[in-house]
Amino acid sequence: MLRLPIRLLATAVAALTAFSLKAQIEVEPSLQIDMVSHYMWRGTDMAGVSIQPAGKLSWQGFSVQLGSSMGLTSDELQKLDLTVGYSAYGFNIGITDYWSTGIDYAGLNRYFYYDPRRSAHQYEGNIGYSCPYFSLQAYTMFWGNDYKYETEKDYKQRANGKRAYSTYLELRVPVYLMGLDWDFSAGVTPFESAGYTTKEMVDFGQGEERANVRKHFYADGPACIMLSARATKNFTLGDIKVPAFAEIHTNPYTQKAQFLVGVSVIPF
């Protein structure tokens, strides 16, 4: 009497085990650890020397990625970003949860604290298309501290602001030239991003005067906020890939530029 249920149970266990093993085989993990001499992000100077590990699991177009950036001292920026996405036929869509120190309203750098204005978390949606010749991506903030405030006081109190939906568009073109892999990138924002007005000493040519200055996440309107060129040379140590790269990263809007170098370790 018990043989049939036992056989059915054994068959079910065997099927589940086979499915589980197949799923495990199809899941593609990847790991990369970068060390950069300077951390630049979308034309913004984020930190000095930084270590940036990133791990990713991919399965049938779906992916989950966890990335981080850590300065060498506790006073420098620390980030932890989680991205879930899907890609097919070159098109991709995803959502990223950005978390970084220095944004928490109370200055406590809490991770498990979610408030649309006061949390250190910011949510961003992205959509794009990639092919061997170029990659075009669009990113928009839709949750978290992404507001336009009239005054610095409003910004500090996180009050009376209007959601900005800060948006960033990036075009990247890869080129193989002179034995190196090159990436040429340009980033623009189509309208005014999050920001606030503060008073600072400004030199108008006749001495410094105290004046209202608008601070922005990206820019005060349509602007090119990033132009960069990165050259990468690929090396290997056994089965481990160790690319080395050099990059010139500029922001035409703020008229800033930074030269940085780095190395990656890709064990699998």
Side-chain angles (χ1 to χ4, degrees):
M1 296 293 292
L2 292 176
R3 289 180 180 178
L4 183 59
I6 290 175
R7 287 178 180 177
L8 289 174
L9 180 60
T11 302
V13 170
L16 288 174
T17 301
F19 177 80
S20 176
L21 289 173
K22 183 180 179 182
Q24 289 177 16
I25 292 172
E26 290 179 348
V27 172
E28 298 179 8
S30 62
L31 177 65
Q32 179 168 328
I33 304 171
D34 295 347
M35 175 174 281
V36 294
S37 62
H38 211 92
Y39 178 27
M40 298 292 295
W41 184 76
R42 299 180 183 177
T44 301
D45 188 337
M46 303 294 286
V49 177
S50 300
I51 300 173
Q52 300 175 331
K56 185 177 182 179
L57 292 176
S58 303
W59 180 73
Q60 296 186 354
F62 294 95
S63 64
V64 178
Q65 178 170 315
L66 189 63
S68 177
S69 182
M70 301 169 286
L72 297 186
T73 67
S74 59
D75 295 333
E76 292 188 313
L77 180 74
Q78 313 291 321
K79 289 189 65 181
L80 184 61
D81 304 331
L82 176 64
T83 301
V84 294
Y86 178 76
S87 61
Y89 305 106
F91 294 94
N92 65 274
I93 189 170
I95 295 177
T96 297
D97 173 8
Y98 294 107
W99 177 88
S100 61
T101 56
I103 297 179
D104 190 317
Y105 171 78
L108 300 177
N109 296 324
R110 297 164 291 186
Y111 187 85
F112 296 103
Y113 175 67
Y114 296 89
D115 181 277
R117 292 179 183 266
R118 303 186 175 194
S119 172
H121 289 271
Q122 293 175 295
Y123 291 171
E124 178 183 78
N126 77 279
I127 188 170
Y129 175 78
S130 297
C131 68
Y133 308 104
F134 70 90
S135 172
L136 181 61
Q137 301 290 327
Y139 306 86
T140 298
M141 295 283 182
F142 64 88
W143 191 92
N145 185 27
D146 182 65
Y147 291 86
K148 290 183 281 188
Y149 298 100
E150 289 300 320
T151 67
E152 186 175 10
K153 180 180 179 181
D154 286 343
Y155 168 73
K156 289 182 176 179
Q157 295 181 349
R158 308 290 168 88
N160 305 319
K162 296 181 179 179
R163 182 159 292 285
Y165 295 103
S166 298
T167 296
Y168 175 76
L169 310 175
E170 183 176 291
L171 173 66
R172 183 180 67 86
V173 178
V175 176
Y176 184 76
L177 184 65
M178 298 181 294
L180 301 173
D181 291 318
W182 292 80
D183 281 300
F184 298 96
S185 301
V188 301
T189 184
F191 46 76
E192 182 184 7
S193 63
Y196 62 91
T197 300
T198 184
K199 288 187 176 294
E200 290 185 355
M201 298 301 294
V202 180
D203 189 350
F204 293 102
Q206 299 179 345
E208 291 189 342
E209 299 179 21
R210 193 169 180 81
N212 288 332
V213 176
R214 189 73 177 166
K215 300 284 188 179
H216 286 94
F217 187 64
Y218 291 137
D220 61 355
C224 177
I225 61 172
M226 193 277 289
L227 290 174
S228 72
R230 173 179 288 200
T232 301
K233 181 67 175 178
N234 294 302
F235 300 95
T236 58
L237 293 174
D239 295 330
I240 300 176
K241 298 178 182 178
V242 189
F245 55 87
E247 177 179 335
I248 178 72
H249 194 109
T250 72
N251 187 327
Y253 173 75
T254 61
Q255 301 185 31
K256 303 293 185 182
Q258 184 69 240
F259 177 73
L260 61 95
V261 295
V263 63
S264 302
V265 178
I266 308 175
F268 55 85

